[in-house]
Amino acid sequence: MSETAAIPHGLPMERDAGPFDPPSQITRLREARPVSPLVFPDGHEGWLVTGYDAVRQLLADTRFSSRQDLGIVHLPYETPGMPAATEPSPQVPGLFVAMDPPDHTRLRRKLTGAFTVRRMKQLEEHIVDITERQLDEMARLAPPVDLVKEFALPVPSLVICELLGVPYEDRENFQVNSATFLVKDQQLDEKMAAYGAMTAYLAELVTRKRATPGEDILSDLARHDDLTVEELTGIAFLLLLAGHETTANMLALGTFALLEHPEQLAELRAAPELLPDAVEELMRYLSVADVFYRYATEDIELGGETIGKGSTVVVSLLAANHDPRRFDHPDTLDLHRKARGHLSFGHGIHQCLGQQLARIEMRAGFAGLLRRFPTLQLALPAGEVKLRTDMNIYGVHELPVTWTESAR
């Protein structure tokens, strides 16, 4: 493996060209070598995959394992409080995103009925109602307000709480702890304390649902005698974390992107039928969940390179979604683009289970926000918006907005 071809000091994570663009060094690397050697901060050599075709092929190939217990996790960036290479993590019961078949298949199959396209479409009207009620609350406030606190975070939190059967009044517990868990530069003991608090809460909740089930997804799962409480807890943690963090950040960052592209925003307001394509384009363009890991279980050819057995492979969905070989003018936000085929929901057996739910929430969220607040604008200069560069899911920490009129 050539030292000169590798990134010498880990993976550049900062979106240095602007708040919505991939790191410029990643872009240059993708153009030169879409499957590239990567030197981790501890000196260990692995691989970085940035090209669209190579990322899609990798995600579809089960020889690239998701199991973190198969090898040492070498983080591609320096993380204070955590060693550059951490020991293999034992498999967490129920956390099927970090499993391979047949374990992954057994657990994911339990959830396929809960997230079918048909069931999500049946929920659409109810999700629109939840969105509109939250917009009513926001309209009663005197601007400026923080869009994250008043809209982007409450909507998906309300929806996922209702779907899973998690009391919404407990949201402070899981919102604070999930945010702590997702901080990149977090002391390991603080990260594990947040994880422990969430799982302790969820273990108690699923135990109650096993005793007295209701009409919700966690109750449905609790009826399966072959699932242990530990597995139910792991599944609940995964669904709760993924179910509100990603969509909340898409709603907030997507609004920021639209406000920074006023011509695109005006077109969307004038032609609401553009919304489904606009949501796909915003997903591609922003790629809030970017970096994922895989572990080669054998020697594998990918993009003209041989990835050796045992190698840690870092995948950048952001880089893949901005690959000019797949998308024309990829660094341009174009709401007319047919961006389906983007990789923001992943690909292969781990493709996001809740993707239809997320689409419905985003369509309802953006449609309602733009209709109700026709004069919406940032309440501070764009350069002062606090970006989530310190988090494992990208977005904004706060988005102060203002308006001069609101509509029904």
Side-chain angles (χ1 to χ4, degrees):
M1 192 181 293
S2 168
E3 283 290 330
T4 57
I7 301 175
H9 302 295
L11 178 65
M13 305 291 285
E14 297 296 324
R15 302 192 186 208
D16 51 353
F20 314 118
D21 298 314
S24 54
Q25 192 175 345
I26 289 280
T27 298
R28 290 194 297 272
L29 188 69
R30 182 193 59 220
E31 300 317 304
R33 198 170 179 183
V35 180
S36 170
L38 169 68
V39 175
F40 292 87
D42 67 337
H44 168 82
E45 292 186 338
W47 292 86
L48 171 63
V49 184
T50 53
Y52 178 91
D53 289 340
V55 168
R56 189 177 169 92
Q57 183 182 334
L58 181 150
L59 294 176
D61 191 335
T62 53
R63 294 177 299 170
F64 287 104
S65 173
S66 297
R67 286 176 51 184
Q68 294 181 0
D69 61 324
L70 287 185
I72 293 176
V73 180
H74 297 266
L75 296 174
Y77 43 82
E78 299 284 2
T79 304
M82 293 184 72
T86 60
E87 287 303 309
S89 305
Q91 282 203 289
V92 177
L95 214 66
F96 57 88
V97 72
M99 293 178 181
D100 298 335
D103 298 322
H104 170 269
T105 313
R106 178 178 74 89
L107 294 177
R108 183 161 169 136
R109 194 175 284 150
K110 305 281 189 190
L111 285 159
T112 49
F115 289 96
T116 60
V117 174
R118 182 182 173 194
R119 185 168 181 181
M120 291 303 108
K121 283 199 173 296
Q122 290 170 343
L123 280 169
E124 190 159 4
E125 190 175 326
H126 185 53
I127 290 168
V128 169
D129 287 343
I130 288 173
T131 304
E132 292 299 323
R133 285 201 301 271
Q134 198 60 40
L135 287 166
D136 288 341
E137 294 290 324
M138 185 168 137
R140 291 189 190 104
L141 301 173
V145 305
D146 175 13
L147 190 81
V148 174
K149 180 184 175 186
E150 304 300 342
F151 181 69
L153 185 56
V155 167
S157 296
L158 279 160
V159 171
I160 200 65
C161 280
E162 197 165 307
L163 273 178
L164 295 182
V166 175
Y168 186 61
E169 57 268 25
D170 295 343
R171 64 191 179 279
E172 192 167 330
N173 174 307
F174 70 78
Q175 286 176 354
V176 169
N177 285 309
S178 68
T180 302
F181 181 76
L182 289 170
V183 173
K184 280 181 195 168
D185 299 343
Q186 184 63 279
Q187 297 290 335
L188 185 57
D189 56 346
E190 291 176 14
K191 190 179 286 281
M192 295 316 295
Y195 173 74
M198 278 187 79
T199 53
Y201 166 76
L202 290 169
E204 185 182 331
L205 182 66
V206 297
T207 301
R208 288 205 311 269
K209 289 185 180 296
R210 177 152 274 177
T212 53
E215 297 298 318
D216 54 70
I217 289 174
L218 293 185
S219 292
D220 291 347
L221 289 169
R223 291 185 177 96
H224 290 273
D225 292 336
D226 60 330
L227 289 176
T228 65
V229 168
E230 290 75 21
E231 286 177 322
L232 288 168
T233 302
I235 293 171
F237 171 79
L238 188 58
L239 295 179
L240 187 60
L241 187 76
H244 80 278
E245 280 284 354
T246 47
T247 309
N249 283 294
M250 270 304 304
L251 285 171
L253 190 66
T255 301
F256 183 24
L258 289 170
L259 292 173
E260 284 297 283
H261 293 81
E263 290 179 5
Q264 298 278 303
L265 176 58
E267 281 196 65
L268 187 55
R269 277 210 171 98
E273 65 273 12
L274 280 176
L275 197 57
D277 285 341
V279 165
E280 300 304 317
E281 171 65 351
L282 285 165
M283 289 287 303
R284 178 204 70 82
Y285 182 64
L286 300 174
S287 301
V288 296
D290 176 16
V291 174
F292 291 84
Y293 297 86
R294 292 293 186 267
Y295 309 94
T297 58
E298 57 184 81
D299 290 354
I300 305 169
E301 293 292 321
L302 183 71
E305 308 282 355
T306 300
I307 302 207
K309 180 179 179 179
S311 294
T312 301
V313 185
V314 181
V315 180
S316 173
L317 299 188
L318 173 66
N321 279 335
H322 282 249
D323 189 339
R325 298 175 185 90
R326 174 62 178 80
F327 299 103
D328 292 334
H329 308 292
D331 297 336
T332 300
L333 178 66
D334 179 5
L335 301 187
H336 294 275
R337 189 195 304 272
K338 301 298 181 186
R340 285 190 182 269
H342 67 75
L343 297 173
S344 296
F345 289 120
H347 182 60
I349 64 168
H350 289 286
Q351 191 170 37
C352 177
L353 196 59
Q355 60 180 291
Q356 299 306 333
L357 175 64
R359 286 185 169 106
I360 291 167
E361 289 177 296
M362 282 187 276
R363 288 199 295 262
F366 290 125
L369 190 65
L370 299 186
R371 187 189 76 253
R372 296 287 296 273
F373 298 95
T375 57
L376 191 74
Q377 60 185 28
L378 291 178
L380 78 177
E384 294 178 19
V385 172
K386 295 177 183 175
L387 300 168
R388 285 169 55 105
T389 52
D390 57 333
M391 306 296 280
N392 285 314
I393 296 177
Y394 189 60
V396 293
H397 284 292
E398 299 171 1
L399 191 70
V401 294
T402 187
W403 59 88
T404 54
E405 60 178 295
S406 60
R408 281 300 301 176

